[in-house]
Structure formats: structure tokens, C-alpha cells
Amino acid sequence: MAGLSTRHLLGIKDLNVSDLQLIFETADNFKTVLNRPIKKVPSLRDVTIANIFFENSTRTRLSFELAEKRLSADVVNFAASSSSVSKGETLIDTVNNILAMKVDMVVMRHPYAGAATFLSKHVKAQIVNAGDGAHEHPTQALLDAFSIRERYGDVAGKKVVIVGDILHSRVALSNILCLKQLGAEVMVCGPTTLIPKYIGALGVKVEHDLIKALNWCDVANMLRIQLERQDIKYFPSLREYTMLYGLNKQILDSLDKEITVMHPGPINRGVEITSDVADSKQSIILDQVENGVAIRMAVLYLLAGQTP
């Protein structure tokens, strides 16, 4: 079996189309495993993986941990808030101390863009980027594309709109890079202040009218407003944002065709999406969560199969 073209998973930009297809085909097999009564396989027995999270996380951390345990890996969890990082220890020192305990792979989330790439150049272990600042979140983009593929049979030719806080979103950038490679058409939609200035260079359309964007698309990926990353006010109020860019059942039912609704989570119900949309049959939000485990199993399995 051919392997991945990269030793680490730092971002979608490091993957080619063959890598993406290999990850999806491997995830198909692991999804079959996850639906069996016994959900565990011994693929990564004797491999030790450290989950190092310098930012809060629920779904991603649990999804990676579950994927690792389903593959029979030994798992070490590390939370920066309760570690020596709070005493002034550097990132490289922290990771080298963990690697001295014979850890084979590091899954890391960090608030600063490029942290995973920086680390990959200074330590011997394989690095999986679980999100670095507002830069990339590769496994989220992979599971989103995998979910679209599962729903429609193929990603190529599909029209996907990403709505919301594009400026601060690592999910948006990784999704754009992944979907474009797979042959989808991509549009971003949101207030002018939350759309990056040179986003057109990525080959995406820009729309500021939500209804027009939704009538154009097959799939709408609704992003959360990342207030924790905003140092100034980008719009007058959450109420006004919801009036202009919030998706409710009334809007969904008024569209020319039935679209698929996605959300990377966590959902702010009543802001970017209402409960009746999130829980509707057009929503595949829980399918995304389920697919996240299979995709992360595939990534870890394929990376661990490489020789240094």
C-alpha cells in the first residue's frame, strides 16, 4: 500500500490529491470497524501518542483520544494550564521532556500559527496539527470533506459556501484548500470586516448576502463567531450579526433547493444557526463528529506506518 507523501500532518497545503483519497479510503475501512460490536483494532499497539493541548478543546481532543484508543495505542494527555508551561517552560523543552519518555507521535493544538511546523523542525517525533491559531485545522477539513463525499458520493463539482468569521477561522482556510484540491467550488460569505482582504487569491468567490450564497450552494458550512480571537469589534452586536448571517428554518425552507448544513462546532445556538436547523434532517453535524473519529484513525494509522 502506498503511504502519505508527508511524515507529519501540519496542514492541508502539505497534502496532494492522492494523499486525500488515501486518507478517505482508509477512513472508509475504519468507519466499518467503528460500526462493529468490537470497535478496537491492534494497528498501533506499542505506539505511544501524546495529546498536547495549549488551548481548550472538547470534540477534537476527545476525537483524537478515542481514535488512538480504538487503534490500541498508548495515550498520554497533557493540558498546558496545569503544566510547567505556566511556570515559563518553552514549547520545545516541554515537548522534549515528553519525548524523553519515549513518545512516538505528538498531537498538538496551540494558540499560535505555525507552532506545529516549528515543532516538527526541532523534534524527532511525528507531529499532527490539531489546530494552530487562526492558521490551519487539517483533520477538521478532512472530516468535513469526507462527510460531503459520504452525503453526495463525490466532492468534485459540489458548491460549498463557508459562512461567518472567515478572518479568524483555521477551519475556513483548511476547508478551502481541501475542497479546492478535490474539485469543489468554494464561496465565503460574511460581513466585510470578517472576510480576509486577499481571500480571492485562494480562488474562492466572495458574497455578502446570505440568501444569495445559500441559493448558490449545495452545502453550507456555518462557522462560529470567534469572540476569543477578536481584539476589536468587527460588527455592532451579535444580534445584528444573527439578523444578517444567522441561518434559521424559515430561511432554509424558503430556498430554491434542499441544501446540506454543516458546522465544525461548538455551536452557538441562536447565533449562527438555530436549534431547529441544527437538529433538522438537512444537518449532518453529528455525522461530522462520527466521521472525525474515523478520519483521525486513518491519519494516525497512515503516519505511524511510515519509517523515519
Coordinates of all heavy atoms in Angstrom, one line a residue, residues 199-264:
I199 N -8.5 37.1 0.2 CA -9.1 35.7 0.1 C -9.3 35.3 -1.4 O -9.2 34.1 -1.7 CB -10.4 35.7 0.9 CG1 -10.9 34.2 1.1 CG2 -11.5 36.5 0.2 CD1 -10.4 33.6 2.3
G200 N -9.5 36.2 -2.3 CA -9.7 35.9 -3.7 C -8.5 35.2 -4.3 O -8.7 34.4 -5.3
A201 N -7.3 35.4 -3.7 CA -6.1 34.7 -4.2 C -6.2 33.2 -4.1 O -5.4 32.5 -4.7 CB -4.9 35.3 -3.5
L202 N -7.1 32.7 -3.2 CA -7.2 31.3 -3.0 C -8.2 30.7 -4.0 O -8.5 29.5 -3.9 CB -7.7 31.0 -1.5 CG -6.7 31.4 -0.4 CD1 -7.4 31.2 0.9 CD2 -5.5 30.5 -0.5
G203 N -8.7 31.5 -4.9 CA -9.6 31.0 -5.9 C -11.1 30.8 -5.4 O -11.8 29.9 -5.9
V204 N -11.5 31.6 -4.4 CA -12.9 31.4 -3.9 C -13.7 32.7 -4.3 O -13.2 33.7 -4.5 CB -12.9 31.2 -2.4 CG1 -12.1 30.0 -2.0 CG2 -12.4 32.5 -1.7
K205 N -15.0 32.4 -4.4 CA -15.9 33.6 -4.6 C -16.2 34.2 -3.2 O -16.1 33.6 -2.2 CB -17.2 33.0 -5.2 CG -17.1 32.4 -6.6 CD -18.5 31.9 -7.0 CE -18.5 31.4 -8.5 NZ -17.8 30.2 -8.7
V206 N -16.6 35.5 -3.3 CA -17.0 36.2 -2.1 C -18.4 36.8 -2.2 O -18.7 37.4 -3.3 CB -16.0 37.4 -1.8 CG1 -16.4 38.2 -0.5 CG2 -14.5 36.9 -1.6
E207 N -19.2 36.6 -1.2 CA -20.6 37.0 -1.2 C -20.9 37.6 0.1 O -20.5 37.0 1.2 CB -21.5 35.9 -1.6 CG -23.0 36.2 -1.6 CD -23.4 37.4 -2.6 OE1 -23.3 37.1 -3.8 OE2 -23.7 38.4 -2.1
H208 N -21.6 38.7 0.2 CA -22.0 39.3 1.5 C -23.5 39.1 1.8 O -23.9 39.5 2.9 CB -21.6 40.8 1.5 CG -20.1 41.0 1.3 ND1 -19.2 40.6 2.3 CD2 -19.4 41.6 0.3 CE1 -18.0 40.9 1.8 NE2 -18.1 41.5 0.7
D209 N -24.2 38.6 0.8 CA -25.7 38.4 1.0 C -25.9 36.9 1.3 O -25.7 36.0 0.4 CB -26.4 38.8 -0.3 CG -27.9 38.7 -0.1 OD1 -28.4 37.7 0.5 OD2 -28.7 39.6 -0.6
L210 N -26.4 36.6 2.5 CA -26.5 35.2 2.9 C -27.5 34.4 2.0 O -27.2 33.3 1.6 CB -27.0 35.1 4.4 CG -27.2 33.7 4.9 CD1 -25.9 32.9 5.0 CD2 -27.9 33.7 6.3
I211 N -28.6 35.0 1.6 CA -29.7 34.3 0.8 C -29.1 34.0 -0.5 O -29.3 32.9 -1.0 CB -30.9 35.2 0.7 CG1 -31.5 35.7 2.1 CG2 -32.0 34.4 -0.1 CD1 -31.9 34.5 3.0
K212 N -28.4 34.9 -1.2 CA -27.8 34.6 -2.5 C -26.8 33.5 -2.4 O -26.7 32.6 -3.2 CB -27.0 35.9 -3.0 CG -28.0 36.9 -3.6 CD -27.1 38.1 -4.1 CE -28.0 39.3 -4.6 NZ -27.2 40.4 -4.9
A213 N -26.0 33.5 -1.3 CA -25.0 32.4 -1.1 C -25.7 31.1 -0.9 O -25.2 30.1 -1.5 CB -24.1 32.8 0.1
L214 N -26.7 31.0 -0.1 CA -27.4 29.8 0.2 C -28.1 29.2 -1.1 O -28.2 28.0 -1.3 CB -28.4 29.9 1.3 CG -27.8 30.3 2.7 CD1 -28.9 30.6 3.7 CD2 -26.9 29.1 3.2
N215 N -28.7 30.1 -1.9 CA -29.3 29.7 -3.2 C -28.3 29.2 -4.2 O -28.6 28.3 -5.0 CB -30.1 30.8 -3.8 CG -31.5 30.9 -3.2 OD1 -32.2 29.9 -3.0 ND2 -32.0 32.1 -2.9
W216 N -27.1 29.6 -4.1 CA -26.0 29.2 -5.0 C -25.5 27.8 -4.6 O -25.1 27.0 -5.4 CB -24.9 30.2 -4.9 CG -23.6 29.8 -5.6 CD1 -23.3 29.9 -7.0 CD2 -22.4 29.2 -5.1 NE1 -22.1 29.4 -7.3 CE2 -21.5 29.0 -6.1 CE3 -22.1 28.8 -3.8 CZ2 -20.2 28.4 -5.9 CZ3 -20.8 28.2 -3.6 CH2 -19.9 28.0 -4.6
C217 N -25.4 27.5 -3.3 CA -24.6 26.3 -2.8 C -25.4 25.0 -2.7 O -26.6 25.0 -2.8 CB -24.1 26.6 -1.4 SG -25.3 26.6 -0.1
D218 N -24.6 23.9 -2.6 CA -25.2 22.6 -2.3 C -25.0 22.4 -0.8 O -25.8 21.7 -0.1 CB -24.4 21.5 -3.0 CG -24.6 21.6 -4.5 OD1 -25.7 21.7 -5.0 OD2 -23.5 21.7 -5.2
V219 N -23.9 22.9 -0.2 CA -23.6 22.7 1.2 C -23.2 24.0 1.8 O -22.5 24.8 1.3 CB -22.3 21.7 1.3 CG1 -22.0 21.5 2.8 CG2 -22.6 20.4 0.6
A220 N -23.8 24.2 3.0 CA -23.4 25.5 3.8 C -22.7 25.0 5.1 O -23.3 24.3 5.9 CB -24.7 26.3 4.1
N221 N -21.5 25.5 5.2 CA -20.7 25.2 6.4 C -20.8 26.5 7.3 O -20.2 27.5 7.0 CB -19.3 24.9 6.1 CG -18.6 24.1 7.2 OD1 -19.0 24.1 8.3 ND2 -17.4 23.5 6.9
M222 N -21.5 26.5 8.4 CA -21.7 27.7 9.2 C -20.7 27.7 10.4 O -20.6 26.8 11.2 CB -23.1 27.6 9.9 CG -24.3 27.3 8.9 SD -24.4 28.6 7.6 CE -24.9 30.0 8.6
L223 N -19.9 28.8 10.3 CA -18.8 28.9 11.3 C -19.2 29.7 12.5 O -20.1 30.6 12.4 CB -17.6 29.6 10.7 CG -16.9 28.9 9.5 CD1 -15.7 29.8 9.0 CD2 -16.5 27.5 9.7
R224 N -18.6 29.4 13.6 CA -18.8 30.1 14.9 C -18.1 31.5 14.9 O -17.0 31.6 14.3 CB -18.3 29.2 16.0 CG -18.4 29.8 17.4 CD -17.9 28.8 18.4 NE -16.4 28.5 18.3 CZ -15.5 29.2 18.9 NH1 -15.8 30.2 19.7 NH2 -14.2 28.9 18.7
I225 N -18.7 32.5 15.5 CA -18.0 33.7 15.7 C -17.0 33.6 16.8 O -17.4 33.2 17.9 CB -19.1 34.9 16.1 CG1 -20.0 35.2 14.9 CG2 -18.3 36.1 16.5 CD1 -19.3 35.7 13.7
Q226 N -15.7 33.8 16.5 CA -14.7 33.5 17.5 C -14.3 34.8 18.3 O -13.3 35.4 18.0 CB -13.4 33.0 16.7 CG -13.8 31.7 15.9 CD -12.6 30.8 15.7 OE1 -11.6 30.9 16.4 NE2 -12.7 30.0 14.7
L227 N -15.2 35.0 19.2 CA -15.0 36.3 20.0 C -13.7 36.2 20.8 O -13.1 37.3 21.1 CB -16.2 36.4 21.0 CG -17.6 36.7 20.4 CD1 -18.7 36.6 21.4 CD2 -17.6 38.0 19.6
E228 N -13.2 35.0 21.1 CA -12.0 35.0 21.9 C -10.8 35.4 21.1 O -9.7 35.7 21.7 CB -11.8 33.5 22.5 CG -11.4 32.5 21.5 CD -12.6 31.8 20.7 OE1 -13.7 32.4 20.8 OE2 -12.3 30.8 20.0
R229 N -10.9 35.4 19.8 CA -9.7 35.8 18.9 C -9.9 37.3 18.5 O -9.0 37.8 17.8 CB -9.6 34.9 17.7 CG -9.2 33.5 18.1 CD -8.9 32.7 16.8 NE -9.0 31.3 17.1 CZ -8.1 30.6 17.7 NH1 -7.0 31.2 18.2 NH2 -8.2 29.3 17.9
Q230 N -11.0 37.9 18.8 CA -11.2 39.3 18.3 C -10.8 40.3 19.3 O -11.3 40.4 20.4 CB -12.7 39.4 18.0 CG -13.2 38.5 16.9 CD -14.7 38.7 16.5 OE1 -15.3 39.6 16.9 NE2 -15.2 37.8 15.7
D231 N -9.8 41.1 18.9 CA -9.3 42.1 19.8 C -10.0 43.5 19.6 O -9.9 44.4 20.4 CB -7.8 42.3 19.6 CG -7.4 42.4 18.2 OD1 -8.3 42.3 17.3 OD2 -6.2 42.5 17.9
I232 N -10.8 43.6 18.5 CA -11.6 44.8 18.3 C -13.0 44.3 17.9 O -13.2 43.2 17.6 CB -11.0 45.8 17.3 CG1 -10.9 45.0 15.9 CG2 -9.7 46.3 17.7 CD1 -10.5 45.9 14.8
K233 N -14.0 45.3 17.9 CA -15.3 44.9 17.4 C -15.4 44.9 15.9 O -15.1 45.9 15.3 CB -16.4 45.9 18.0 CG -16.7 45.6 19.5 CD -17.9 46.4 20.0 CE -19.2 45.8 19.7 NZ -19.5 44.6 20.5
Y234 N -15.8 43.8 15.4 CA -15.9 43.7 13.9 C -17.3 43.9 13.4 O -17.5 44.0 12.2 CB -15.4 42.3 13.4 CG -13.9 42.2 13.6 CD1 -13.3 41.7 14.8 CD2 -13.0 42.5 12.5 CE1 -11.9 41.6 14.9 CE2 -11.6 42.4 12.6 CZ -11.1 41.9 13.8 OH -9.7 41.8 13.9
F235 N -18.3 43.9 14.3 CA -19.7 44.2 13.9 C -20.4 44.7 15.1 O -19.9 44.5 16.3 CB -20.4 42.9 13.4 CG -20.2 41.7 14.2 CD1 -20.9 41.4 15.3 CD2 -19.2 40.8 13.9 CE1 -20.7 40.3 16.1 CE2 -18.9 39.7 14.7 CZ -19.7 39.4 15.8
P236 N -21.5 45.5 14.9 CA -22.1 46.2 16.1 C -22.5 45.3 17.2 O -22.2 45.6 18.4 CB -23.3 46.9 15.4 CG -22.9 47.0 14.0 CD -22.1 45.8 13.7
S237 N -23.2 44.2 16.9 CA -23.6 43.3 18.0 C -23.9 41.9 17.5 O -24.1 41.7 16.3 CB -24.9 43.9 18.6 OG -26.0 43.8 17.7
L238 N -24.0 40.9 18.4 CA -24.3 39.6 18.0 C -25.7 39.5 17.4 O -26.0 38.7 16.5 CB -24.2 38.6 19.2 CG -22.8 38.0 19.5 CD1 -22.9 37.1 20.7 CD2 -22.2 37.3 18.3
R239 N -26.6 40.3 18.0 CA -28.0 40.3 17.5 C -28.1 40.8 16.0 O -28.8 40.2 15.2 CB -28.8 41.3 18.4 CG -30.3 41.4 18.0 CD -31.1 42.2 19.0 NE -32.4 42.4 18.6 CZ -32.9 43.4 17.9 NH1 -32.0 44.4 17.5 NH2 -34.1 43.5 17.5
E240 N -27.3 41.8 15.7 CA -27.3 42.3 14.3 C -26.7 41.2 13.4 O -27.1 41.0 12.3 CB -26.5 43.6 14.2 CG -26.5 44.2 12.7 CD -26.2 45.6 12.7 OE1 -26.5 46.4 13.6 OE2 -25.5 46.0 11.7
Y241 N -25.6 40.6 13.9 CA -24.9 39.5 13.1 C -25.9 38.4 12.8 O -26.0 37.9 11.6 CB -23.7 39.0 13.8 CG -23.1 37.8 13.0 CD1 -22.1 38.0 12.0 CD2 -23.5 36.5 13.3 CE1 -21.6 37.0 11.3 CE2 -22.9 35.5 12.5 CZ -22.0 35.7 11.6 OH -21.5 34.7 10.8
T242 N -26.7 38.0 13.8 CA -27.7 36.9 13.6 C -28.7 37.3 12.6 O -29.2 36.5 11.8 CB -28.3 36.6 15.0 OG1 -27.2 36.2 15.9 CG2 -29.3 35.4 14.9
M243 N -29.2 38.6 12.7 CA -30.2 39.0 11.7 C -29.8 38.9 10.3 O -30.5 38.6 9.4 CB -30.6 40.5 12.1 CG -31.5 40.6 13.3 SD -31.6 42.3 13.8 CE -32.5 43.0 12.4
L244 N -28.5 39.2 10.1 CA -27.9 39.2 8.7 C -27.3 37.9 8.2 O -27.4 37.5 7.1 CB -26.9 40.3 8.5 CG -27.4 41.8 8.7 CD1 -26.3 42.7 8.7 CD2 -28.3 42.1 7.5
Y245 N -26.7 37.1 9.2 CA -26.0 36.0 8.8 C -26.3 34.7 9.6 O -25.7 33.7 9.4 CB -24.5 36.2 8.9 CG -24.0 37.3 7.9 CD1 -23.8 38.6 8.4 CD2 -23.8 37.0 6.6 CE1 -23.4 39.6 7.5 CE2 -23.4 38.0 5.7 CZ -23.2 39.2 6.1 OH -22.8 40.2 5.2
G246 N -27.4 34.8 10.4 CA -27.8 33.6 11.1 C -28.7 32.8 10.2 O -29.6 33.3 9.5
L247 N -28.6 31.4 10.3 CA -29.4 30.5 9.5 C -30.5 29.9 10.4 O -30.3 29.3 11.4 CB -28.6 29.4 8.9 CG -29.3 28.3 8.0 CD1 -30.0 29.0 6.9 CD2 -28.3 27.3 7.5
N248 N -31.8 30.2 10.0 CA -32.9 29.7 10.7 C -33.8 28.8 9.7 O -33.6 28.8 8.5 CB -33.8 30.8 11.3 CG -34.3 31.8 10.3 OD1 -34.7 31.4 9.2 ND2 -34.2 33.1 10.7
K249 N -34.8 28.1 10.3 CA -35.6 27.2 9.5 C -36.4 27.9 8.4 O -36.6 27.4 7.3 CB -36.5 26.4 10.4 CG -37.1 25.1 9.8 CD -36.0 24.0 9.8 CE -36.6 22.7 9.5 NZ -37.0 22.5 8.1
Q250 N -36.8 29.1 8.7 CA -37.6 29.9 7.8 C -36.8 30.2 6.5 O -37.3 30.0 5.4 CB -38.0 31.2 8.4 CG -39.0 32.0 7.6 CD -39.4 33.4 8.3 OE1 -39.1 33.6 9.4 NE2 -40.1 34.2 7.5
I251 N -35.5 30.5 6.7 CA -34.6 30.8 5.5 C -34.4 29.5 4.8 O -34.4 29.4 3.6 CB -33.3 31.4 6.0 CG1 -33.5 32.8 6.5 CG2 -32.3 31.4 4.9 CD1 -32.3 33.4 7.2
L252 N -34.1 28.4 5.5 CA -33.8 27.1 4.9 C -35.0 26.6 4.1 O -34.8 26.1 3.0 CB -33.5 26.1 6.1 CG -32.7 24.9 5.7 CD1 -31.3 25.3 5.2 CD2 -32.5 24.0 7.0
D253 N -36.2 26.8 4.6 CA -37.4 26.3 3.8 C -37.7 27.2 2.6 O -38.4 26.8 1.7 CB -38.6 26.3 4.8 CG -38.4 25.2 5.8 OD1 -37.6 24.3 5.6 OD2 -39.1 25.2 6.9
S254 N -37.2 28.4 2.6 CA -37.5 29.4 1.5 C -36.6 29.2 0.3 O -36.8 29.9 -0.7 CB -37.5 30.8 2.0 OG -36.1 31.2 2.3
L255 N -35.6 28.4 0.5 CA -34.6 28.3 -0.6 C -35.1 27.5 -1.8 O -36.1 26.7 -1.7 CB -33.3 27.6 -0.1 CG -32.6 28.3 1.1 CD1 -31.4 27.5 1.5 CD2 -32.1 29.7 0.6
D256 N -34.5 27.7 -3.0 CA -34.9 27.1 -4.2 C -34.7 25.6 -4.2 O -35.4 24.8 -4.9 CB -34.1 27.6 -5.4 CG -34.3 29.2 -5.5 OD1 -35.4 29.6 -5.0 OD2 -33.5 29.8 -6.1
K257 N -33.7 25.1 -3.4 CA -33.5 23.6 -3.3 C -33.1 23.3 -1.9 O -32.8 24.1 -1.1 CB -32.3 23.3 -4.3 CG -31.0 24.1 -4.0 CD -29.9 23.8 -5.0 CE -28.7 24.7 -4.7 NZ -27.6 24.5 -5.6
E258 N -33.0 21.9 -1.7 CA -32.6 21.4 -0.3 C -31.1 21.4 -0.3 O -30.5 20.8 -1.1 CB -33.2 20.1 -0.1 CG -33.1 19.6 1.3 CD -33.9 18.3 1.6 OE1 -35.1 18.4 1.7 OE2 -33.3 17.3 1.7
I259 N -30.6 22.1 0.7 CA -29.1 22.1 0.9 C -28.7 21.3 2.2 O -29.6 21.0 3.0 CB -28.5 23.5 1.0 CG1 -29.1 24.2 2.3 CG2 -28.9 24.3 -0.3 CD1 -28.3 25.5 2.6
T260 N -27.4 21.0 2.3 CA -26.9 20.3 3.4 C -26.2 21.3 4.3 O -25.5 22.2 3.9 CB -25.9 19.2 3.0 OG1 -26.6 18.3 2.2 CG2 -25.3 18.5 4.2
V261 N -26.5 21.2 5.6 CA -26.0 22.2 6.6 C -24.9 21.5 7.5 O -25.1 20.4 8.0 CB -27.1 22.7 7.5 CG1 -26.5 23.7 8.5 CG2 -28.1 23.4 6.7
M262 N -23.7 22.1 7.6 CA -22.6 21.6 8.4 C -22.2 22.7 9.4 O -22.5 23.9 9.3 CB -21.4 21.3 7.5 CG -21.7 20.3 6.4 SD -20.3 20.1 5.3 CE -19.2 19.1 6.3
H263 N -21.5 22.2 10.5 CA -21.0 23.1 11.5 C -19.8 22.4 12.1 O -19.9 21.3 12.6 CB -22.0 23.5 12.5 CG -21.7 24.7 13.3 ND1 -20.5 24.8 14.1 CD2 -22.3 25.9 13.5 CE1 -20.5 25.9 14.7 NE2 -21.5 26.7 14.4
P264 N -18.6 23.1 12.2 CA -17.5 22.4 12.9 C -17.6 22.3 14.4 O -16.8 21.6 15.0 CB -16.3 23.3 12.4 CG -16.9 24.6 12.2 CD -18.3 24.4 11.7

